[in-house]
């Protein structure tokens, strides 16, 4: 990790925290901090990605602003995380996209659906595009199946490749030992799926002020769970199509539709709640320059969920063709920006939790 001003500031704050250790029982950051006497750039990047932004340490800290020490771990680590995303992005030159992430995500969220709609209008017969479609293969009469697979599959494949390469570079840059046992993997997976570290010191996050709440944790669970249900819906639909010969649109009570419906509801609840939290939380422990990208990504996820549910409700009407093109465009746009947005925090945070599990066992 490059020796940036943020790395220098994070080291100063960690050295003070390591001498104090009042927050040693909070989340995973401070036990990991206590294992160290010195802090390299790689160590600080690891600690920053362990941080879940619960803000408990900020509200508990006697050295937080306006104290002269100015300890503000949530803000400093959020900035350092963003720098690590850019540092390990693949291809390497794409890391600069994190600098204006809000503009990038917003532009893609606007342009991708427009281009998808224009492409659909160019390829589809107007008599098909603007009239109600029903029965087997109704969606593919509007947007050909080969085009959906080419655009959505290609963009998703690129996202997986870019994020996988970024994860490899991050692990090589921050981890000290190879994985030799399944136990740390199981422990890290448990922490990831339960979001245990969003419990701060055990009472919850300081979502708005110094009072404790589990709201942020449950909203993250709703958004993450909804996202995974939607992914399961797409996977199930592909199995139905290729292996069972059952082509969409499927009945409302079918497995793919039910997974997608409840997944969309979860994503709407999670993104709406997290957007609200960002507007009412204490702004001091927040990295303000990152807010644009975070708002844009949450807004894009909200639009994907809302357009998917709207498409489900109106799929047997004349509005289906336009809604299908817009929803497909939003999904493709999301895949394209995913490796260069805050969505990569899930990958790096998971790897940080894995390294922490390894270190605990070694200690």
């Amino acid at each position: 990790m490059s020796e940036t001003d943020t790395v220098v500031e994070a080291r100063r704050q960690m050295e003070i925290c390591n001498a104090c250790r009042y927050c040693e029982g909070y989340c995973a950051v401070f036990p990991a901090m206590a294992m160290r006497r010195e802090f390299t750039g790689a160590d600080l990047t690891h600690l920053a990605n362990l941080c879940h932004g619960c803000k408990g340490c900020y509200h508990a800290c006697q050295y937080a602003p306006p104290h002269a020490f100015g300890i503000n771990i949530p803000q400093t680590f959020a900035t350092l995380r963003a720098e690590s995303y850019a540092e390990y992005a693949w291809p390497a030159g794409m890391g600069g996209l994190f600098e204006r992430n809000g503009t990038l995500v917003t532009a893609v969220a606007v342009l991708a659906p427009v281009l998808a709609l224009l492409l659909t209008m160019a390829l589809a017969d107007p008599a098909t595009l603007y009239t109600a479609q029903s029965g087997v293969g109704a969606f593919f009469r509007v947007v050909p199946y080969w085009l959906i697979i080419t655009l959505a599959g290609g963009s998703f494949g690129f996202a997986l490749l870019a994020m996988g390469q970024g994860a490899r570079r991050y692990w090589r840059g921050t981890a000290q030992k190879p994985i030799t046992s399944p136990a740390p993997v199981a422990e890290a997976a448990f922490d990831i799926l339960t979001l245990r570290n969003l419990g701060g010191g055990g009472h919850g996050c300081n979502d708005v002020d110094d009072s404790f709440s589990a709201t942020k944790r449950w909203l993250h669970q709703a958004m993450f769970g909804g996202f995974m249900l939607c992914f399961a819906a797409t996977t199930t639909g592909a199995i139905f199509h290729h292996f069972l010969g059952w082509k969409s649109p499927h009945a409302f009570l079918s497995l793919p539709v039910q997974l997608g419906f409840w997944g969309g509801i979860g994503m709407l609840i999670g993104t709406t709640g997290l957007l609200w939290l960002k507007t009412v939380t204490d702004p001091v422990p927040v990295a303000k320059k990152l807010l644009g990208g975070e708002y844009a990504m949450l807004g894009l996820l909200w639009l994907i969920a809302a357009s998917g549910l709207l498409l489900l409700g109106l799929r047997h009407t004349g509005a289906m063709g336009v809604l299908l093109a817009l929803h497909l465009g939003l999904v493709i746009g999301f895949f394209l920006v995913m490796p260069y947005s805050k969505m990569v925090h899930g990958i790096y945070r998971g790897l940080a939790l894995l390294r922490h599990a390894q270190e605990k066992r070694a200690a």
Side-chain angles (χ1 to χ4, degrees):
M1 185 71 186
S2 303
E3 192 77 359
T4 63
D5 291 342
T6 308
V7 171
V8 173
E9 175 61 15
R11 181 179 293 115
R12 180 189 74 86
Q13 293 191 31
M14 276 289 96
E15 288 172 349
I16 295 172
C17 290
N18 209 16
C20 173
R21 297 198 177 185
Y22 180 82
C23 298
E24 192 169 355
Y26 284 34
C27 65
V29 171
F30 297 97
M33 171 202 72
M35 296 179 187
R36 293 163 169 79
R37 295 184 179 182
E38 297 180 347
F39 299 95
T40 66
D43 287 334
L44 291 166
T45 300
H46 166 62
L47 295 175
N49 281 282
L50 270 182
C51 174
H52 285 59
C54 72
K55 306 183 185 74
C57 60
Y58 168 79
H59 288 283
C61 184
Q62 59 188 320
Y63 302 124
H67 192 278
F69 285 174
I71 302 299
N72 192 337
I73 297 299
Q75 183 187 83
T76 303
F77 274 4
T79 305
L80 185 55
R81 279 196 300 276
E83 290 184 2
S84 74
Y85 304 157
E87 178 87 6
Y88 298 111
W90 183 91
M94 302 294 279
L97 296 177
F98 285 96
E99 292 295 323
R100 301 183 61 84
N101 204 242
T103 303
L104 168 70
V105 176
T106 303
V108 171
V110 172
L111 292 176
V114 170
L115 292 175
L117 182 58
L118 292 175
L119 184 60
T120 302
M121 293 172 66
L123 293 176
D125 185 345
T128 301
L129 180 61
Y130 300 111
T131 56
Q133 302 292 321
S134 60
V136 176
F139 291 151
F140 308 137
R141 293 186 215 122
V142 177
V143 182
Y145 183 71
W146 65 266
L147 185 60
I148 294 177
I149 293 298
T150 300
L151 296 179
S155 58
F156 182 59
F158 169 76
L160 289 181
L161 175 62
M163 294 177 74
Q165 290 293 327
R168 182 184 64 84
R169 298 181 68 193
Y170 172 84
W171 184 258
R172 292 179 64 182
T174 62
Q176 304 300 314
K177 296 181 180 180
I179 303 169
T180 57
S181 167
V185 178
E187 181 179 340
F190 177 81
D191 289 344
I192 293 167
L193 294 174
T194 61
L195 294 177
R196 183 171 63 88
N197 288 285
L198 278 177
H203 304 290
C205 293
N206 298 107
D207 297 323
V208 178
D209 47 34
D210 59 357
S211 61
F212 293 102
S213 170
T215 302
K216 183 178 179 182
R217 181 178 183 177
W218 297 123
L219 289 173
H220 267 93
Q221 288 284 26
M223 184 178 69
F224 176 69
F227 182 87
M228 295 309 295
L229 283 176
C230 290
F231 181 76
T234 303
T235 304
T236 306
I239 293 173
F240 279 17
H241 183 99
H242 292 286
F243 296 98
L244 301 178
W246 301 344
K247 297 183 180 180
S248 60
H250 303 289
F252 179 73
L253 294 179
S254 65
L255 183 59
V257 175
Q258 283 296 296
L259 289 172
F261 174 74
W262 294 109
I265 294 294
M267 284 180 63
L268 276 182
I269 293 172
T271 53
T272 301
L274 289 172
L275 284 167
W276 169 76
L277 270 185
K278 287 187 180 297
T279 63
V280 299
T281 192
D282 183 352
V284 179
V286 174
K288 297 179 180 62
K289 71 176 185 178
L290 305 179
L291 282 176
E294 294 176 3
Y295 276 120
M297 181 51 67
L298 285 172
L300 177 55
L301 288 170
W302 190 94
L303 287 172
I304 290 173
S307 62
L309 291 172
L310 195 59
L311 175 61
L312 175 62
L314 300 176
R315 58 181 175 164
H316 297 309
T317 71
M320 184 269 278
V322 173
L323 285 172
L324 176 62
L326 291 176
H327 179 67
L328 182 62
L330 287 167
V331 171
I332 292 170
F334 170 73
F335 288 155
L336 290 175
V337 300
M338 190 162 60
Y340 313 109
S341 69
K342 194 184 176 181
M343 290 300 294
V344 299
H345 84 283
I347 303 292
Y348 292 175
R349 185 165 288 162
L351 293 175
L353 287 167
L354 176 57
R355 178 182 173 184
H356 181 54
Q358 286 182 299
E359 290 180 345
K360 285 193 298 182
R361 293 179 180 277

